[in-house]
Amino acid sequence: MSKETKMVYFFGAGKAEGKATMKQLLGGKGANLAEMTNIGVPVPGGFTITTETCDAYYKAKNKWPKGLAEQVEKNLVKLEKAMGTKFGDPKNPLMVSVRSGAAVSMPGMMDTVLNLGINDEVAEGLIEKTGNPRWVYDCYRRFIDMFGDVVMGCHHEYFEHELETLKKQCKVENDNDLTADDLKELVARYKAVYKKYIKKPFPQDPRKQLEAAVNAVFSSWNIPRAVKYREMNDIRGLLGTAVNVQAMVFGNMGDDCGTGVCFTRNPSTGKKEFYGEFLMNAQGEDVVAGIRTPLPMIGLKKVNAKMYKQLTDTMTRLEKHYSDMQDIEFTIQESKLYILQTRGGKRTAAAALKTAVDMVKEKMITKKDAVMRVEPAQLDQMLHPGFKAGVKRDVIAKGLPASPGAAVGQVCFDSEKAEKWFAAGKTVILTRIETSPEDIGGMDAAKGILTQRGGMTSHAAVVARGMGRCCVAGVSALAIDYKKNVMKVGKLTIKEGDWISLDGTSGEVMKGQVEVVEPKLSGDFKTLMKWADEFRTMGVRTNADTPDDAKNAVKFGAEGIGLCRTEHMFFEGDRIWNVRQLILAAGDYKRLKEEIAVCDDKETLKKLEAEFKDPKAKFEGALKKLLPTQRKDFEGLFKALGGMPCTVRLLDPPLHEFLPQEKANQAEMAKRLKVSPKQVKQMVEDLHEFNPMLGHRGCRLSVTYPEIARMQARAIMEAAIKVSTPKKKVIPEIMIPLIGTVKELTFVKAHVVDEINAVFKEKKTKLQYLVGTMIEVPRAALTSAEIAEEAEFFSFGTNDLTQMGMGFSRDDAGKFLGEYVKLGMYEKDPFQELDQTGIGRLVDMSVTDGRSVNKKLKCGICGEHGGDPASIDFCHRVGLNYVSCSPFRVPIARLAAAQAAITHGKVKK
């Protein structure tokens, strides 16, 4: 970066050098401050140091790039002129805030410093100028605290201890009850704390204060909580944070001053109403940090009706300008309104849906805008449980309903411990006096969040809503003691580890575990899904093995089954014993059958045939018993689908998975099947494989035992014939798994088709059906042109394709993949989001090659990636016909598919 590069952008006096579209360069906060300035919103002047400069700062090993100091000084002079004040001048001082602002909103994750520019001389000058020593010392003590904590690493708790000690000595409860002399004493104590821990006096040079604060904001880009937030929210590709230096306006000068946070709509429900909180005679940190419990926004109307109207008019104007719900920070100084920030408001899934749908009705946005506005992953929040109506609730306290939903878990007072508990499988309610950005990991691990202090726009509330976590905030009846790991509510004591329940909709805190129920989807949900379906071009199916799963998926909008795993059916009820009987007989059945086929000696043949009778009877008998149960399974699925397509995968796992591994269970099997325990043990050992995922499974089982594939094909087709009606014809799609060569497919397909023809002849009827394959072996993807001559459809099993293509064991890679992602070796865990560069190339190549010889080749995906929005976007781009995912991810897939179609248009392939 050369010194001629523009690194600083000014805003003030009704004009700004930036605009809303410059978020990547100026960050969201800086771009919006510039935009508001340009449209005449009352914004205190200032300047923004760009995200590119932050990147250059890191590349220069935490040093300012050449030219930055000069540009900062030039813009500081412009700001002095715009505000009519001078930086560091005791008689007429300019004070500023220094705040972060990335291109993507990261509320509370990076650092802020307020009241910068004050020192001993400035403080005396301000007292003389304003005649308000209490306000001056309040600003000064806040600045020492923030500068010491944020910039120099002198922990806030040290300063807080002095404040609490002084309040006790003065016999007051609230900060506002301290006098000017009390606050002057507090400033002295704060300076002493700073000197004790930093080993030097508090800095008096405002320009050195500013340089250090800018460095601190740059550095906050990579502090643990900010890094973790970006990881959790999949925020990638940003250069760093911008730094916004803005003239201070003061909400703590007296009773005609105040500060607050407001939303143009309710961020929990989406209801069109002015929503927010404020405090008179306070600074912004008091509201968002939960230091004092704020008042509902409507209360401002009683305090100052003129200010309330001006604020609500500005809120309406900003929402119309941005065509989105806004989250606004404001300050009132001596009855004059200033807007310090606006951004798209964080909201719950329910609020996102309602806001999007309502804004279409209000003709603010189009249907397409509405579909693009809701994040697919947010829909998960709509599917969370709530508390069962009518169930007794032992309510012990009530707070503010900060984030809706229901949560039941064990009380945990420490964020790090909450993460460990979660990793150990415990269900956690993170319980804090107030949360801070350092608690982000514990909040993510928790099922719900409970705070003693704070309001509806506190850190806990905002972050919980963004995460979709249930949160109850500001429960003043609680008395939390971190040292003793207990909280008291009146006479009741709750220890760490005790169970409680939270209702984020009512704000109730309940003792014990309250029964939960599944949620019902709103009309707004159905409306948005309908619009999504209008735009998407790719089908959405579900992975389901039971009629109940299929019914749930259909309710969520699934258009069929993309993967029915028949092996799951084999474990139900007593049928597992038929499967085990089949396996016990299989070895002798196969061996003797092969020997009989090649034997040309009559005496030997006679002996072999006699020996063959028993294993044949047991093998075929087991298949015969399995046939009606399999047929019934498929009948249930076909009925639940009502004529929608169903892809049935033939038996896939290795046979050893159906056998007991424990000695006691092997003895039970031997007794039940009337064989010796030694025989069972021998069979388990014979079927053992060193790497079963690459062993005797999938189509390899059907090559060895084609009778199993024939039985399943018969069950599928008999069920289809029984369920099919003229109006709802069943068209089964039979999928042969794990092929690596077209010859495997040809062999198994011949048996399947032959058995189906036999069924047609017996039933004197025919049905349309498809036979295809699962592309999960890299060789199959590479030879797709050959395979497509035999297959009528491809279904990409990306779990195994990822496993084999990347050389990772899905069961073991979790031990190190997290580190790989952190180190940037892979952007995401490839089992969660498809590796588009490598495995994705195999998929793309396979689709292209397959359709080069079979233009009607249907292609879909049925791995876990079928429910991942980024992977769905890729599937659209490579021209897949459908994605298939778990039932509860069907709505996510529908919305993600619509967004992919809107973003990329129709794909021709």
Side-chain angles (χ1 to χ4, degrees):
M1 179 177 280
S2 69
K3 65 180 182 178
E4 288 79 21
T5 302
K6 188 171 179 61
M7 292 176 267
V8 182
Y9 286 71
F10 186 79
F11 58 89
K15 292 182 180 179
E17 295 175 328
K19 52 187 177 180
T21 56
M22 298 172 67
K23 286 185 178 181
Q24 292 298 321
L25 183 65
L26 302 181
K29 189 175 293 176
N32 284 333
L33 286 169
E35 185 77 5
M36 287 192 291
T37 300
N38 285 330
I39 65 173
V41 173
V43 173
F47 53 87
T48 301
I49 304 173
T50 67
T51 58
E52 289 179 349
T53 309
C54 179
D55 184 49
Y57 171 83
Y58 278 107
K59 288 177 178 175
K61 297 182 179 179
N62 299 346
K63 292 182 180 179
W64 283 23
K66 289 182 180 179
L68 177 59
E70 291 79 5
Q71 290 191 34
V72 167
E73 184 62 31
K74 180 181 176 182
N75 280 274
L76 195 56
V77 171
K78 287 174 72 174
L79 181 58
E80 290 174 334
K81 186 177 180 181
M83 300 304 295
T85 53
K86 197 167 182 64
F87 198 49
D89 182 355
K91 294 181 180 179
N92 188 27
L94 169 68
M95 288 160 63
V96 297
S97 63
V98 182
R99 307 171 85 186
S100 61
V104 178
S105 178
M106 296 169 56
M109 293 302 109
M110 293 180 290
D111 287 332
T112 294
V113 179
L114 303 180
N115 305 329
L116 189 144
I118 195 169
N119 57 24
D120 293 347
E121 288 185 357
V122 167
E124 291 302 319
L126 279 173
I127 292 170
E128 186 176 337
K129 180 182 178 182
T130 64
N132 191 346
R134 192 195 180 285
W135 164 68
V136 173
Y137 289 123
D138 189 42
C139 288
Y140 201 178
R141 65 99 179 176
R142 289 172 185 269
F143 176 54
I144 297 170
D145 183 348
M146 292 188 94
F147 187 90
D149 181 29
V150 169
V151 180
M152 302 303 295
C154 182
H155 296 304
H156 168 68
E157 286 79 7
Y158 303 148
F159 299 107
E160 189 72 10
H161 174 74
E162 292 297 330
L163 174 60
E164 293 301 318
T165 301
L166 182 63
K167 286 197 292 187
K168 284 181 182 178
Q169 291 171 351
C170 296
K171 297 180 180 180
V172 299
E173 290 187 9
N174 299 316
D175 300 2
N176 279 8
D177 296 327
L178 293 170
T179 66
D181 287 339
D182 295 334
L183 290 171
K184 183 178 182 180
E185 169 63 20
L186 189 60
V187 167
R189 293 188 186 190
Y190 275 15
K191 285 181 181 177
V193 167
Y194 184 94
K195 189 172 184 180
K196 176 181 178 181
Y197 290 99
I198 305 303
K199 308 300 181 186
K200 53 186 175 182
F202 189 78
Q204 295 293 305
D205 184 341
R207 278 172 168 75
K208 288 185 177 179
Q209 293 174 359
L210 179 60
E211 181 181 354
V214 170
N215 290 346
V217 173
F218 278 154
S219 298
S220 71
W221 176 250
N222 279 329
I223 58 177
R225 66 174 186 254
V227 172
K228 193 156 198 169
Y229 186 89
R230 292 197 294 275
E231 287 176 0
M232 285 164 43
N233 291 277
D234 195 23
I235 298 171
R236 292 180 275 177
L238 301 184
L239 290 172
T241 181
V243 180
N244 298 286
V245 179
Q246 189 174 18
M248 283 294 303
V249 286
F250 301 94
N252 62 330
M253 291 183 75
D255 293 337
D256 60 349
C257 304
T259 188
V261 177
C262 55
F263 293 80
T264 55
R265 301 189 187 221
N266 189 312
S268 290
T269 66
K271 184 179 178 182
K272 189 176 182 181
E273 61 181 357
F274 297 126
Y275 176 100
E277 295 171 323
F278 77 102
L279 282 169
M280 298 306 290
N281 198 13
Q283 285 200 319
E285 64 187 282
D286 298 334
V287 178
V288 298
I291 292 169
R292 287 164 55 191
T293 299
L295 302 171
M297 184 179 155
I298 191 67
L300 182 60
K301 194 172 185 179
K302 294 179 181 179
V303 175
N304 191 325
K306 183 181 176 182
M307 281 296 97
Y308 179 79
K309 186 177 186 308
Q310 188 180 346
L311 175 61
T312 53
D313 286 348
T314 303
M315 291 168 70
T316 300
R317 182 183 177 193
L318 287 172
E319 181 177 272
K320 286 182 178 178
H321 182 77
Y322 287 99
S323 298
D324 193 13
M325 184 234 286
Q326 293 298 291
D327 170 2
I328 300 165
E329 292 180 21
F330 67 92
T331 288
I332 300 167
Q333 178 178 303
E334 297 175 317
S335 296
K336 185 175 181 180
L337 176 69
Y338 294 92
I339 304 299
L340 306 183
Q341 172 173 291
T342 192
R343 60 188 173 194
K346 295 285 182 183
R347 63 206 82 173
T348 64
L353 286 167
K354 182 168 179 56
T355 299
V357 171
D358 284 356
M359 283 187 168
V360 172
K361 293 175 182 176
E362 295 163 23
K363 298 184 178 179
M364 288 181 68
I365 61 175
T366 65
K367 288 182 184 180
K368 190 179 286 188
D369 294 330
V371 169
M372 292 300 293
R373 189 157 287 181
V374 179
E375 294 180 19
Q378 275 189 304
L379 298 183
D380 255 350
Q381 295 179 28
M382 302 295 295
L383 309 174
H384 295 323
F387 291 121
K388 188 175 182 180
V391 173
K392 184 180 178 182
R393 299 183 177 201
D394 185 0
V395 179
I396 57 174
K398 191 168 183 179
L400 299 171
S403 186
V408 179
Q410 293 174 273
V411 170
C412 183
F413 297 109
D414 179 77
S415 285
E416 287 187 15
K417 189 183 291 182
E419 292 187 71
K420 291 176 182 176
W421 280 17
F422 174 77
K426 290 187 177 183
T427 307
V428 180
I429 301 292
L430 182 64
T431 305
R432 304 283 290 161
I433 294 173
E434 62 195 34
T435 64
S436 70
E438 279 73 21
D439 292 316
I440 188 72
M443 295 174 79
D444 186 43
K447 201 78 171 178
I449 298 153
L450 174 65
T451 68
Q452 180 178 322
R453 298 180 193 159
M456 300 289 280
T457 51
S458 64
H459 176 268
V462 171
V463 174
R465 281 196 294 269
M467 288 180 168
R469 297 289 188 278
C470 167
C471 177
V472 176
V475 187
S476 56
L478 299 182
I480 297 172
D481 187 331
Y482 290 146
K483 290 183 180 178
K484 294 181 179 179
N485 279 339
V486 298
M487 74 176 171
K488 292 186 177 181
V489 188
K491 294 181 179 179
L492 177 67
T493 298
I494 294 179
K495 300 174 183 177
E496 190 165 61
D498 287 350
W499 287 85
I500 61 170
S501 301
L502 304 181
D503 189 331
T505 304
S506 68
E508 291 177 327
V509 181
M510 292 149 278
K511 185 181 177 183
Q513 302 177 60
V514 180
E515 186 178 353
V516 295
V517 293
E518 294 301 319
K520 292 181 180 178
L521 301 177
S522 68
D524 293 324
F525 179 92
K526 293 175 182 175
T527 299
L528 191 80
M529 287 294 98
K530 182 183 176 185
W531 294 344
D533 292 342
E534 290 174 13
F535 292 109
R536 68 181 169 89
T537 56
M538 193 164 55
V540 176
R541 299 191 190 183
T542 190
N543 301 339
D545 312 321
T546 68
D548 285 343
D549 284 347
K551 287 173 185 174
N552 275 333
V554 170
K555 285 179 184 177
F556 288 134
E559 298 163 318
I561 289 178
L563 175 63
C564 170
R565 293 156 288 212
T566 54
E567 60 271 10
H568 289 183
M569 301 168 175
F570 285 179
F571 285 97
E572 289 188 16
D574 286 341
R575 68 181 73 178
I576 185 64
W577 297 107
N578 295 325
V579 176
R580 288 171 175 172
Q581 179 68 71
L582 180 85
I583 294 169
L584 278 175
D588 286 340
Y589 173 82
K590 178 179 180 292
R591 175 181 59 80
L592 292 166
K593 187 178 178 182
E594 289 174 349
E595 289 182 14
I596 289 170
V598 297
C599 183
D600 54 4
D601 181 79
K602 288 183 179 181
E603 285 298 317
T604 304
L605 183 61
K606 192 174 181 180
K607 289 180 181 178
L608 289 172
E609 286 175 342
E611 189 182 351
F612 186 52
K613 284 182 181 180
D614 182 57
K616 183 176 184 290
K618 288 179 179 177
F619 186 82
E620 292 179 350
L623 284 174
K624 194 173 181 180
K625 288 177 182 177
L626 285 170
L627 175 62
T629 56
Q630 279 268 275
R631 182 170 56 233
K632 189 176 180 181
D633 291 329
F634 297 133
E635 286 174 11
L637 283 172
F638 295 153
K639 285 176 182 176
L641 291 174
M644 287 187 281
C646 181
T647 303
V648 181
R649 182 178 72 185
L650 300 184
L651 189 64
D652 183 53
L655 294 179
H656 75 84
E657 288 193 9
F658 298 101
L659 297 178
Q661 303 301 309
E662 298 295 327
K663 188 176 180 180
N665 296 333
Q666 289 177 4
E668 181 193 0
M669 176 178 165
K671 184 178 179 181
R672 180 145 183 166
L673 298 183
K674 298 178 181 179
V675 294
S676 69
K678 185 178 179 181
Q679 190 176 347
V680 173
K681 184 182 178 184
Q682 186 62 49
M683 179 58 67
V684 171
E685 291 175 357
D686 288 346
L687 291 176
H688 171 74
E689 294 177 310
F690 288 105
N691 194 342
M693 293 306 296
L694 301 179
H696 196 210
R697 53 171 285 229
C699 69
R700 299 159 192 173
L701 283 174
S702 296
V703 170
T704 304
Y705 305 111
E707 294 86 352
I708 297 175
R710 295 181 78 105
M711 180 276 291
Q712 290 193 296
R714 173 174 283 273
I716 292 166
M717 199 52 63
E718 287 180 349
I721 290 170
K722 185 174 180 180
V723 174
S724 192
T725 67
K727 290 186 178 180
K728 294 182 178 179
K729 292 182 179 179
V730 178
I731 305 175
E733 300 177 355
I734 300 171
M735 182 159 67
I736 299 168
L738 208 75
I739 69 155
T741 168
V742 68
K743 292 177 182 178
E744 289 172 313
L745 176 60
T746 304
F747 179 89
V748 180
K749 180 183 175 182
H751 281 281
V752 168
V753 171
D754 185 60
E755 192 67 28
I756 289 172
N757 286 336
V759 173
F760 288 163
K761 188 174 181 180
E762 293 166 16
K763 301 293 182 182
K764 297 180 181 178
T765 187
K766 285 189 177 183
L767 279 183
Q768 185 183 349
Y769 68 95
L770 302 176
V771 178
T773 189
M774 207 166 182
I775 303 292
E776 49 195 329
V777 175
R779 189 182 189 281
L782 295 169
T783 59
S784 291
E786 293 178 4
I787 294 168
E789 291 179 353
E790 287 287 340
E792 293 172 281
F793 66 86
F794 284 174
S795 181
F796 292 94
T798 49
N799 299 341
D800 274 349
L801 190 59
T802 296
Q803 190 164 226
M804 291 187 234
M806 301 186 79
F808 289 144
S809 163
R810 192 172 21 161
D811 297 323
D812 300 313
K815 297 173 184 176
F816 59 84
L817 269 180
E819 187 176 358
Y820 268 48
V821 173
K822 282 184 180 178
L823 292 171
M825 294 180 180
Y826 292 108
E827 285 193 1
K828 295 294 289 288
D829 182 333
F831 290 107
Q832 295 177 8
E833 182 179 308
L834 187 68
D835 166 41
Q836 298 180 22
T837 306
I839 305 305
R841 189 176 179 190
L842 286 175
V843 173
D844 191 6
M845 184 189 307
S846 180
V847 173
T848 301
D849 291 353
R851 287 181 179 159
S852 70
V853 298
N854 182 352
K855 292 181 180 179
K856 293 183 179 180
L857 184 72
K858 186 188 293 187
C859 295
I861 185 174
C862 62
E864 290 300 313
H865 301 106
D868 170 65
S871 304
I872 291 167
D873 183 88
F874 170 81
C875 292
H876 174 87
R877 285 185 278 116
V878 299
L880 297 194
N881 298 96
Y882 67 86
V883 296
S884 188
C885 56
S886 62
F888 284 91
R889 293 196 72 82
V890 166
I892 295 170
R894 289 166 67 192
L895 183 57
Q899 292 179 349
I902 291 168
T903 302
H904 305 292
K906 191 174 181 179
V907 176
K908 292 182 179 180
K909 195 159 189 178

